[in-house]
Amino acid sequence: HSERRKEYIFNSILDVALPMLSEFEAHDLSNLAYANAIVHSNPTLEDGGDGNTTTLFDRIAEESLPRLGEFDPQRLSNLIWSFGMVGSGSGSSSSSSSSSSPSPPY
């Protein structure tokens, strides 16, 4: 029950965050990636109703890559750590936390 509640909360936040992702600043993108990486969450998303799918981290990458110069070293290292934790494009929607997860580099 606790896992379903956590997944519901994260999905509710993503429902609000995804439509405004292009408005996120570098630190917002880094924080979103970090929060989802901590719980190993990279949900698969429908992309525009055309039947194609993408993942949360694919979307974060799309927004982040053209703006990497806006990231300070801390946010950049957290973003890299986050992608390393979940992997890009894995499509995992698992929200299970792992006590053996390494700490972010700071």
Side-chain angles (χ1 to χ4, degrees), residues 8-82:
Y8 173 77
I9 292 168
F10 269 76
N11 288 337
S12 296
I13 292 168
L14 287 178
D15 286 345
V16 173
L18 287 173
M20 63 170 69
L21 207 57
S22 64
E23 300 171 34
F24 277 32
E25 295 184 20
H27 69 272
D28 302 319
L29 291 166
S30 178
N31 289 344
L32 181 63
Y34 180 76
N36 280 275
I38 286 174
V39 296
H40 304 281
S41 177
N42 188 15
T44 300
L45 312 168
E46 286 194 24
D47 196 18
D50 58 5
N52 293 327
T53 60
T54 187
T55 67
L56 172 62
F57 275 78
D58 290 336
R59 293 282 310 276
I60 292 171
E62 289 171 14
E63 292 297 329
S64 299
L65 288 174
R67 301 169 24 195
L68 287 177
E70 298 173 24
F71 287 78
D72 65 23
Q74 176 66 58
R75 303 299 181 194
L76 188 58
S77 65
N78 286 350
L79 190 66
I80 292 167
W81 178 87
S82 299

